[in-house]
Amino acid sequence: MELKKDDSTIGHVLKYTGLFGGVHGINMLVSLVRNKLTSIFLGPEGIGLINLFNALTSFISNSTNFGIPFSAVKHVSELFETGDSEKIRGFVRVVRTWSLITALLGTLVCIVAAFFHEHSVEIVIISPIVGILALMGGEMAILKGMKQLKRVAKISVYSAVATLVVCVPLYYFLSLQGVAIALLLSHIVVLIIYLSSSTRLYPYAASIYSKADLKKGLPMIKLGIGYIVAGIFGSGAEYLIRESINQSGGEAAVGLYASGYVMMVQYASVVLASLEADFFPRLSGICHDRVKMNSTINRQIEACTLLLSPMLIFFVIAMPYLLQLLYTNKFVDAVPMAVCASFYIFFKAMFTPVEYLSLAKGDSRMYMVSELVYDVFIAIAVPLAYGRYGLWGAGAALSVGGCVDLLFVYVAYRYRYGYSFSFRLLPVYAVQFVLLVVAVGVSFYLADWIYWLIGVLLLAVSSAITFLVLKREGKQRG
């Protein structure tokens, strides 16, 4: 597939970053309401418990789904380009067959794991969630492979709203005793939303006893092995971090860590929402042309870094008030952790577009290695930093992990794929980084009117730089 004329321009990147970022923003608003109400009804302990359950189910799901949510996209997409409806229908059945198998496997593994956990009864209750995640992953892969991005966006929004409507009343009436039930019921409702959309394209059909379908799915499973291993690393690292914090500080400490992580890492990542939906398909089409490959990646780094920089400064300066607004004053201790984690997002904006190169080339081994480096580092560094310095140490460890990942990805991907970073805007990136460093220092050492004066000044300077550079780049490349 030939790259469209304007596919690597900054205008194209900004357009689709805004489009998919907008959908992600709607989901964030819904989750903000859900988190606020949940924090009121359950407190830090409840947030911590929900986080532990989600980390466990995510870990088991990523360990047993055979990488289908990612690898199936590539195979369905290739068939979609041929226009052969019968072959597409047949492979959709294959995807659903293997998704059903992994759903049963994952649920069984979660039930077994329950006997080794202090919350054994609750984990048995939520065990079907692992199976539901496998089924949803298969359906989402089908929709993405069929280029049904509007359906994907609608499902995402509907699912967020459904989770809010189902969970919050149960938290209110049942408190901590309703956490497991709420999580299970909300996932069932979301699965119904997924199926109601995907089955309009192809009615549901699966057969775990069909040897032909099982055999047809083997290439998809083979491709997904590297990604399942990477998923195990990532989910395992997050689970170990939360369990370690739970052992040291209890579920309330996990809740504080989770809230700080959500505030800085997940909410600020709205700018990166377009990578999978728009950037990844574009990169997949030109990844064998080194010149176009480098241009496309560097344009994406440029847009992500410049757009995120003023956003991060805003989050750092406003974090003490945002946490109390979106949660409660019980979560104010998470502010230092969230602030210190801001550098991680800055680094992430610079290395995530490069990491997609291994995915575009189908090089699961390289992707697995790069994920392993980061996950092993944070699985060791975050608990150690938390034990020695508390929550701010955990946030700082995340940022150092991001720097380690940045350096590894740039060196390894240059050697393996010939990726070349564009140093043309490096001075601009450096200035934005220095402004962020100053903002973090202000948040720790200043107060009152001087705090806001310098904070607003930093935000204004960062925003002006972003606006002027993007405007200039748009004229030059437009």
Side-chain angles (χ1 to χ4, degrees):
M1 183 177 67
E2 193 70 25
L3 186 68
K4 294 179 181 180
K5 183 178 180 180
D6 66 342
D7 272 1
S8 67
T9 65
I10 196 66
H12 175 92
V13 174
L14 291 176
K15 175 183 176 181
Y16 284 93
T17 296
L19 175 63
F20 295 108
V23 172
H24 192 65
I26 295 174
N27 292 341
M28 280 173 36
L29 290 176
V30 176
S31 67
L32 286 175
V33 176
R34 185 177 71 245
N35 288 339
K36 177 68 174 181
L37 295 175
T38 301
S39 65
I40 293 174
F41 298 148
L42 302 182
E45 294 84 357
I47 296 290
L49 190 61
I50 293 170
N51 202 257
L52 286 173
F53 287 162
N54 284 336
L56 177 62
T57 54
S58 178
F59 172 61
I60 296 177
S61 175
N62 289 333
S63 303
T64 57
N65 65 16
F66 293 174
I68 292 173
F70 175 81
S71 60
V73 175
K74 174 180 170 58
H75 289 79
V76 174
S77 180
E78 290 174 347
L79 289 174
F80 177 74
E81 293 297 330
T82 67
D84 192 326
S85 59
E86 286 303 313
K87 287 186 178 181
I88 296 173
R89 187 183 304 275
F91 196 77
V92 166
R93 187 179 65 249
V94 170
V95 173
R96 286 171 169 164
T97 296
W98 275 99
S99 295
L100 183 57
I101 292 173
T102 61
L104 296 172
L105 173 62
T107 301
L108 179 61
V109 171
C110 193
I111 292 174
V112 172
F115 294 100
F116 302 93
H117 202 282
E118 58 179 317
H119 296 286
S120 57
V121 175
E122 291 93 337
I123 291 176
V124 170
I125 293 174
I126 66 173
S127 59
I129 291 177
V130 179
I132 291 172
L133 291 173
L135 296 175
M136 290 193 304
E139 299 305 312
M140 184 59 74
I142 293 169
L143 291 172
K144 289 179 179 178
M146 298 288 293
K147 307 297 190 295
Q148 297 292 315
L149 296 183
K150 289 185 178 180
R151 288 178 185 259
V152 171
K154 290 180 180 179
I155 288 174
S156 180
V157 174
Y158 294 158
S159 299
V161 174
T163 302
L164 168 67
V165 173
V166 172
C167 289
V168 171
L170 289 172
Y171 295 156
Y172 175 76
F173 288 108
L174 300 178
S175 189
L176 293 176
Q177 287 69 39
V179 169
I181 297 174
L183 291 176
L184 176 60
L185 291 179
S186 64
H187 277 80
I188 292 175
V189 172
V190 171
L191 176 61
I192 293 173
I193 294 173
Y194 272 64
L195 290 173
S196 65
S197 181
S198 61
T199 52
R200 292 179 184 177
L201 293 175
Y202 293 100
Y204 192 88
S207 176
I208 60 177
Y209 302 108
S210 172
K211 292 183 179 179
D213 284 350
L214 294 177
K215 185 176 181 180
K216 288 179 182 178
L218 289 179
M220 173 181 66
I221 300 302
K222 183 179 179 181
L223 176 62
I225 293 299
Y227 306 106
I228 185 176
V229 175
I232 292 174
F233 293 156
S235 299
E238 287 300 323
Y239 182 68
L240 288 174
I241 288 171
R242 284 158 173 75
E243 274 296 330
S244 176
I245 294 176
N246 183 38
Q247 294 298 321
S248 301
E251 291 171 354
V254 178
L256 293 173
Y257 173 84
S259 62
Y261 188 92
V262 167
M263 286 300 303
M264 184 56 73
V265 177
Q266 292 188 4
Y267 290 162
S269 294
V270 61
V271 173
L272 305 177
S274 68
L275 290 181
E276 183 177 349
D278 171 63
F279 172 68
F280 178 47
R282 286 191 291 115
L283 184 61
S284 298
I286 49 85
C287 63
H288 298 294
D289 185 322
R290 184 173 296 185
V291 175
K292 292 182 178 179
M293 174 192 80
N294 284 327
S295 176
T296 299
I297 294 174
N298 288 326
R299 288 285 171 272
Q300 196 71 42
I301 292 173
E302 178 182 331
C304 290
T305 304
L306 291 175
L307 290 174
L308 263 173
S309 295
M311 182 183 296
L312 288 175
I313 291 176
F314 169 77
F315 269 72
V316 167
I317 298 301
M319 187 58 64
Y321 304 92
L322 289 175
L323 262 172
Q324 294 184 65
L325 174 65
L326 303 177
Y327 290 88
T328 68
N329 57 8
K330 295 181 180 179
F331 290 80
V332 70
D333 289 341
V335 171
M337 180 261 170
V339 168
C340 289
S342 60
F343 300 111
Y344 166 73
I345 294 298
F346 187 90
F347 295 137
K348 186 175 178 65
M350 300 192 72
F351 70 71
T352 302
V354 186
E355 277 192 316
Y356 270 88
L357 184 54
S358 61
L359 302 179
K361 288 181 173 291
D363 190 352
S364 58
R365 182 178 298 178
M366 188 65 207
Y367 179 73
M368 180 177 64
V369 171
S370 62
E371 288 295 297
L372 176 62
V373 170
Y374 170 74
D375 293 328
V376 169
F377 181 89
I378 65 167
I380 296 173
V382 173
L384 289 176
Y386 172 79
R388 188 174 180 85
Y389 302 107
L391 285 169
W392 80 264
L398 285 173
S399 290
V400 174
C403 183
V404 170
D405 206 8
L406 172 68
L407 295 175
F408 175 82
V409 167
Y410 274 38
V411 173
Y413 281 56
R414 179 179 179 83
Y415 173 78
R416 192 171 184 87
Y417 307 120
Y419 166 69
S420 178
F421 173 73
S422 174
F423 288 90
R424 185 172 52 86
L425 290 180
L426 184 60
V428 177
Y429 302 152
V431 171
Q432 293 283 28
F433 183 77
V434 170
L435 292 173
L436 180 59
V437 171
V438 175
V440 171
V442 167
S443 70
F444 273 96
Y445 298 110
L446 298 180
D448 301 326
W449 66 270
I450 191 66
Y451 173 91
W452 287 108
L453 176 62
I454 298 180
V456 171
L457 180 62
L458 291 170
L459 178 60
V461 173
S462 177
S463 300
I465 291 174
T466 291
F467 175 78
L468 293 174
V469 173
L470 290 179
K471 182 179 179 180
R472 182 191 69 193
E473 293 296 304
K475 289 182 178 180
Q476 291 178 352
R477 306 283 176 174

